Amino acid sequence: KNQVEQSPQSLIILEGKNCTLQCNYTVSPFSNLRWYKQDTGRGPVSLTIMTFSENTKSNGRYTATLDADTKQSSLHITASQLSDSASYICVVLTQAGTALIFGKGTTLSVSS
Amino acid sequence: NAGVTQTPKFQVLKTGQSMTLQCAQDMNHEYMSWYRQDPGMGLRLIHYSVGAGITDQGEVPNGYNVSRSTTEDFPLRLLSAAPSQTSVYFCASSQTGTGGYEQYFGPGTRLTVT
């Protein structure tokens, strides 16, 4: 069964610190892996999209990595800001392009 | 560009009532979709459309109808609301449904069925 598992479920860090969110997936074969940021009460916004041949992709202070062999991805946030407080969702698109499989998300809280 | 817009933002229905959630996009995207988001679960696909006049079912289609008469609009109809349909509904669009095209999400509609 195609699944996307994220850890941790929630995370609290101090402003300025770095953090890493994890994503494991069983979708095979897959087309691409995406990370979204969802602020409370709003729709998800895309951060990165990676194909299976890409190992890393950055978007400002956000860096996503992908290991297609172990079916793992991570999202690293550098020098966190209060505005980074949100839910971060890992999503995998099946190779057939027929479905986006969503993880449940990691809720990040950045405190001052 | 307004992107993807959804109305209403909030709605309360009684069991058995029907209603239509509106979704529109101004990016000339072919692919549009509806998701529901429930606490502790990932977004789940309800229905999707790959172009005007073409719709198909997603993972959780029961109790919902869609139509796509224009490229811009993709309304979601609840035929007879049930408490199990209490959720936050997101509409999304992208250039196509496959490949590396980014999906753009609307702001969501929070629906409560009593």
Side-chain angles (χ1 to χ4, degrees):
Chain A
K1 181 181 178 182
N2 288 331
Q3 285 187 312
V4 176
E5 302 286 343
Q6 293 186 243
S7 62
Q9 186 174 1
S10 62
L11 183 62
I12 302 173
I13 62 172
L14 288 175
E15 186 179 15
K17 298 296 186 182
N18 303 336
C19 68
T20 300
L21 314 180
Q22 300 292 342
C23 173
N24 295 334
Y25 60 93
T26 59
V27 180
S28 183
F30 82 102
S31 175
N32 56 63
L33 185 144
R34 305 156 181 229
W35 283 93
Y36 286 87
K37 178 187 179 188
Q38 185 176 20
D39 292 315
T40 300
R42 308 192 72 167
V45 174
S46 178
L47 293 175
T48 63
I49 300 176
M50 289 186 294
T51 65
F52 67 89
S53 61
E54 294 178 289
N55 299 119
T56 185
K57 182 163 278 190
S58 293
N59 179 357
R61 294 179 297 102
Y62 302 101
T63 299
T65 64
L66 174 63
D67 186 333
D69 292 331
T70 62
K71 295 185 171 55
Q72 295 180 326
S73 177
S74 64
L75 181 69
H76 186 75
I77 304 175
T78 303
S80 61
Q81 301 176 357
L82 296 178
S83 59
D84 292 330
S85 295
S87 178
Y88 292 85
I89 305 172
C90 177
V91 187
V92 177
L93 176 67
T94 61
Q95 189 173 59
T98 57
L100 283 172
I101 313 297
F102 286 78
K104 296 179 182 179
T106 292
T107 300
L108 174 66
S109 298
V110 181
S111 61
S112 58
Chain B
N1 276 359
V4 179
T5 59
Q6 292 183 237
T7 57
K9 193 166 180 61
F10 300 95
Q11 182 70 50
V12 178
L13 290 178
K14 294 187 187 302
T15 297
Q17 288 184 318
S18 63
M19 79 158 295
T20 299
L21 279 63
Q22 302 292 344
C23 174
Q25 52 90 11
D26 61 359
M27 296 172 282
N28 201 33
H29 285 167
E30 292 296 322
Y31 185 87
M32 296 185 72
S33 53
W34 276 101
Y35 294 90
R36 60 178 289 171
Q37 186 174 38
D38 300 298
M41 301 185 72
L43 276 77
R44 292 181 293 168
L45 182 65
I46 304 171
H47 285 284
Y48 65 96
S49 168
V50 297
I54 307 170
T55 64
D56 206 347
Q57 297 181 349
E59 180 185 357
V60 289
N62 292 342
Y64 307 95
N65 270 1
V66 292
S67 61
R68 183 99 178 267
S69 56
T70 67
T71 298
E72 294 78 20
D73 300 298
F74 191 42
L76 178 72
R77 297 183 189 84
L78 279 70
L79 309 173
S80 177
S84 61
Q85 293 179 304
T86 294
S87 187
V88 182
Y89 292 85
F90 289 100
C91 178
S93 77
S94 64
Q95 191 164 339
T96 72
T98 60
Y101 293 105
E102 186 172 331
Q103 279 227 356
Y104 295 87
F105 286 83
T109 294
R110 184 174 294 274
L111 175 68
T112 301
V113 183
T114 61

